[in-house]
Amino acid sequence: MEEASLKIYNSQVLLPFSLENGNMHAFLGPFIGQNKKKFGNTLLPEDSSTLPFIHSPEIDLSLLRDTTKIFRAFPPVKNTHLEWLLRVENEMSSSWVETGIFEFIQLAKFDLHLFDPQMLLSAIFFWNRETRAFEFPCGFVCPTLLDIAAITGLTPLGDRFHPDVFEEEISIKELSITWDKKTYLAFINAHVGQPGTPVSTSKHIAFLMYWLSACIFCTPSLQVPKYYLTLAQALHLKKKVCLNKLLLASLYTCLDEASESLFKETGP
């Protein structure tokens, strides 16, 4: 605990924090000690399994040292990924603008791995699965549709997407998609096509499936699942799907799963 010990000043603890070169960095602090914490919420039931990080009787800092495995599903930044994106964009940019996803797709061109994984991970300890919010001393903080719109450029308006009732206008038999090549690199190599050849309907839908899997919903399996075909087809056909809502719902689900995972005795 010497390397990653908590810094305590006058019985106040600075949380959440990150570790960098053996030094502690904190934000949103200072926090009062746990023994001085008073609960004033009489509307919501107390649940020890969903209490924020500051209430944890034991703080295991070992998981903050190696975050490679925990964040392995983060969007890829390999050359093949960018080459495919640029090739499809040359022909489909006007379609993306009309669909409302052009600005969002631009984020896939940049290296987003510059984030502080320890800071992000420690903040998740404050997510309460009962209230669906980060519980800080300043109050409740939660992501909204306007936050998603500000970051991604996606409109918070649009049609609700129901995969079970969406009428497929393009039969799966008409698409030349290689379903046995599921990992990201294998999927790219199978559908990128030859330079100079036009981007067909199948190639565009395949790209959208990859983009949804690798850059939007960050599938833990690091593969392109078939269940994104319906959504990719809707975007290809310029349906006014409210992707903003889908992304926000996915974020809430992931925060729930991450919070639950961090409280497991076996670790995340």
Side-chain angles (χ1 to χ4, degrees):
M1 290 289 292
E2 293 181 0
E3 257 183 34
S5 60
L6 295 177
K7 293 189 186 249
I8 302 177
Y9 300 95
N10 298 326
S11 300
Q12 294 181 332
V13 183
L14 296 172
L15 288 172
F17 57 85
S18 66
L19 303 175
E20 183 178 350
N21 299 326
N23 298 320
M24 184 77 67
H25 300 273
F27 69 102
L28 295 175
F31 283 63
I32 62 175
Q34 181 178 354
N35 59 339
K36 296 182 180 180
K37 181 72 174 178
K38 295 181 180 180
F39 293 95
N41 190 342
T42 58
L43 298 177
L44 297 173
E46 302 297 343
D47 183 353
S48 59
S49 66
T50 59
L51 289 175
F53 186 28
I54 195 173
H55 301 287
S56 179
E58 296 183 1
I59 302 175
D60 181 11
L61 301 180
S62 61
L63 61 89
L64 296 177
R65 296 193 181 114
D66 183 13
T67 57
T68 304
K69 182 178 180 181
I70 297 178
F71 292 100
R72 67 185 182 277
F74 216 70
V77 290
K78 297 179 180 179
N79 292 334
T80 51
H81 157 88
L82 186 58
E83 290 172 1
W84 193 21
L85 190 159
L86 293 175
R87 183 167 179 269
V88 177
E89 182 185 46
N90 288 335
E91 294 191 38
M92 306 304 301
S93 57
S94 60
S95 174
W96 293 350
V97 171
E98 188 176 346
T99 309
I101 61 175
F102 178 81
E103 296 296 337
F104 191 18
I105 291 182
Q106 302 311 299
L107 290 177
K109 296 180 180 180
F110 301 98
D111 185 359
L112 302 180
H113 291 71
L114 301 178
F115 73 103
D116 188 328
Q118 288 89 3
M119 190 74 78
L120 179 60
L121 190 62
S122 59
I124 295 176
F125 277 99
F126 287 85
W127 178 258
N128 192 314
R129 299 192 302 277
E130 299 295 328
T131 60
R132 292 299 193 277
F134 294 99
E135 295 188 4
F136 297 128
C138 61
F140 286 17
V141 178
C142 58
T144 67
L145 288 175
L146 294 181
D147 294 320
I148 302 297
I151 296 171
T152 65
L154 293 172
T155 174
L157 305 176
D159 297 333
R160 188 183 302 177
F161 177 73
H162 290 293
D164 296 336
V165 299
F166 180 80
E167 184 178 352
E168 292 189 2
E169 299 182 28
I170 305 176
S171 172
I172 192 173
K173 297 179 180 179
E174 299 177 25
L175 299 174
S176 56
I177 295 180
T178 307
W179 299 111
D180 60 340
K181 306 291 185 181
K182 296 182 179 180
T183 61
Y184 293 157
L185 183 57
F187 194 85
I188 292 176
N189 292 333
H191 301 94
V192 65
Q194 296 297 324
T197 58
V199 177
S200 63
T201 295
S202 295
K203 294 292 190 295
H204 185 221
I205 291 178
F207 170 80
L208 291 173
M209 288 182 61
Y210 163 78
W211 173 66
L212 290 168
S213 304
C215 305
I216 308 306
F217 300 110
C218 302
T219 52
S221 63
L222 305 183
Q223 296 181 350
V224 179
K226 188 180 292 186
Y227 56 74
Y228 285 133
L229 171 63
T230 306
L231 180 55
Q233 184 183 136
L235 294 175
H236 169 76
L237 296 173
K238 304 176 187 177
K239 302 288 186 180
K240 298 300 181 181
V241 175
C242 190
L243 195 57
N244 189 313
K245 290 183 179 179
L246 293 177
L247 188 59
L248 183 63
S250 175
L251 174 61
Y252 271 73
T253 300
C254 290
L255 285 170
D256 284 348
E257 293 176 351
S259 175
E260 183 179 7
S261 178
L262 288 174
F263 278 97
K264 290 181 179 179
E265 294 183 0
T266 56

